[in-house]
Amino acid sequence: MTDEELIGCAAKAKRGAYAPYSHFKVGAALLTRSGKVYLGCNVENAAYGECMCAERVALFKAISEGERDFAAIAIVGDNGLCPPCGSCRQVLSEFCKGDMPVILLGEKLERHALSELLPLSFRLEAEK
Ligand code: THU
């Protein structure tokens, strides 16, 4: 799957966003190494602290289906580049390798390694 195709999946996922409070819709598409794509959108709540980001919805869907091997994630927001928030970076780093590409759509497609977005991610054990 090309970066453009995965961004297209994220744009499709964004249509499902429930964002009546921020009015800011986000879509994410997480590609597994086996070629399956898990879509996620942000889901907000009247208790604002309970809002959930698109990236974590996609990741938790995949994890709950038994997936553990990820190839890339694409993220699309409402206006221009939408890099993942700090919490999503940390949660992604639990399951995804540092060199996993995070594909973003600004004026053009951008590709960033997860470790570039979150250097020295927190782990309980030092990496062997
Ligand atoms: N949001 C995401 O879905 N992903 C991010 O990485 C940053 C923020 C959502 C959460 C909230 O519903 C809206 O964008 C505004 O913060």
Side-chain angles (χ1 to χ4, degrees), residues 6-17 19 22-29 40-42 44 53-55 73-85 102-109:
L6 198 59
I7 280 284
C9 293
K12 191 172 155 199
K14 184 162 79 86
R15 292 191 221 137
S22 73
H23 303 289
F24 188 84
K25 296 185 174 185
V26 183
C41 59
N42 53 332
E44 298 188 344
C53 293
E55 298 89 323
I73 187 167
I75 306 157
V76 171
D78 258 345
N79 40 34
L81 202 69
C82 183
C85 76
V102 177
I103 301 157
L104 306 173
L105 183 61
E107 298 206 336
K108 55 184 173 58
L109 279 190

